[in-house]
Amino acid sequence: AMRKTVALALLILFAACAFAQYNEREIISQQAYQQLAMRNYAEAEKLFKQVLEKYPDDSNSVLQLLNIYFQTSQLDKAAAILNQSRRVLPQNTAQEQEILLLVMQGRPDDAWDLGQSYLQRLNHGENAYRVLASYFERRGFYDQVLRLYKDARQRQGKPELFTLEIANAALNYRLFKEALTEYLNFLEKNPANLFFIKNQCGIIINEDPSMLAEIGKYLQSSGSGVIRELYANLLVGQNQFQPALEIYKNLPGDKLVRFADEQYAALNDEVAQPAYEHLARTATDPFTRNEYRLRLANVRFRNRDYLPAREILNQITADSLLQTRQNRLRKGINLQARKLLAETALALDG
């Protein structure tokens, strides 16, 4: 019984020491992370070094110190700690850090060579390519970034792989035509990303206006609805409203309505007018048709074209469908038309 008690006491003592050790390591590490969050790199460095002095196998502290040295461009310190503590890091992690160090030292060719053996060890997995590309991106070595992503495509036989990544890298490398092709390919497969792709294409066109015509060419071979909408959007962005209107006429009705309303709100009446004329001409529902006519009359009125305004308003008020009591009240079109008609009469008399 005595032996059991002693064994138990030793066990408790050992556990207490281990917990205290663990606790101390945790406390110092937490303090280091707080300093890191506040970008007090020198303080964080001191604390992580303190952990390593007591626990030389703490791989996390090694990685955090490397991170600090890369962030602050203290590359000699990064090389020293990598050399000294390489054994405590997993093999792949150590090689990743070596590649990153070469990149940060401005040695992209050496980093590329080491990267090839790293990819081989990881069976050229997609994630391995992504990790390597992110390292080259840190120093703006976009040539290597593009080579990596294209190599991944070829090896995996997936022509759609890394489309967005290649587009972004090509844009950063000012290869506008290549970036554009990748963005358009991506948009065709992912139409929900229209807003993002429109912004990216807008950046390209601002840098090189000739790229707008390239989208027009792409559209001829593609015929995709979402590419057509993108092209119309970009034409508007370049103040080319008339060609944009011609494209909107062939898009689903709600998109033309939005375009017409935007032009109307922007007082861009030379485009709003033909847009509403087209909508009124093609509308199948009489109430909707008269809504467009009312907008059209407003455009005419605010441009002091009082006679055409009166003619349109007379068409609305004469529409037999608006004459029955329940329809007269519907959407207030009739009321608005009569009010504008009175204002038009006053303007003509004046």
Side-chain angles (χ1 to χ4, degrees), residues 260-279:
D261 290 346
E262 281 169 6
Q263 302 316 309
Y264 178 80
L267 304 181
N268 195 0
D269 289 340
E270 67 274 17
V271 183
Q273 184 184 317
Y276 285 126
E277 280 169 351
H278 179 79
L279 285 165

Side-chain angles (χ1 to χ4, degrees), residues 243-297:
L245 173 58
E246 291 313 307
I247 293 172
Y248 273 112
K249 283 179 183 176
N250 296 307
L251 286 172
D254 60 320
K255 298 187 191 304
L256 177 55
V257 173
R258 197 180 315 127
F259 171 70
D261 290 346
E262 281 169 6
Q263 302 316 309
Y264 178 80
L267 304 181
N268 195 0
D269 289 340
E270 67 274 17
V271 183
Q273 184 184 317
Y276 285 126
E277 280 169 351
H278 179 79
L279 285 165
R281 203 166 42 246
T282 53
T284 49
D285 171 54
F287 291 103
T288 312
R289 187 190 309 123
N290 282 315
E291 275 191 307
Y292 298 143
R293 280 175 173 168
L294 186 59
R295 276 288 164 100
L296 206 44

Side-chain angles (χ1 to χ4, degrees), residues 283-317:
T284 49
D285 171 54
F287 291 103
T288 312
R289 187 190 309 123
N290 282 315
E291 275 191 307
Y292 298 143
R293 280 175 173 168
L294 186 59
R295 276 288 164 100
L296 206 44
N298 273 304
V299 168
R300 291 296 207 170
F301 182 84
R302 73 185 183 190
N303 285 289
R304 298 183 180 185
D305 298 334
Y306 299 124
L307 286 170
R310 185 173 68 183
E311 195 184 322
I312 297 162
L313 292 163
N314 283 332
Q315 283 174 353
I316 297 171
T317 54

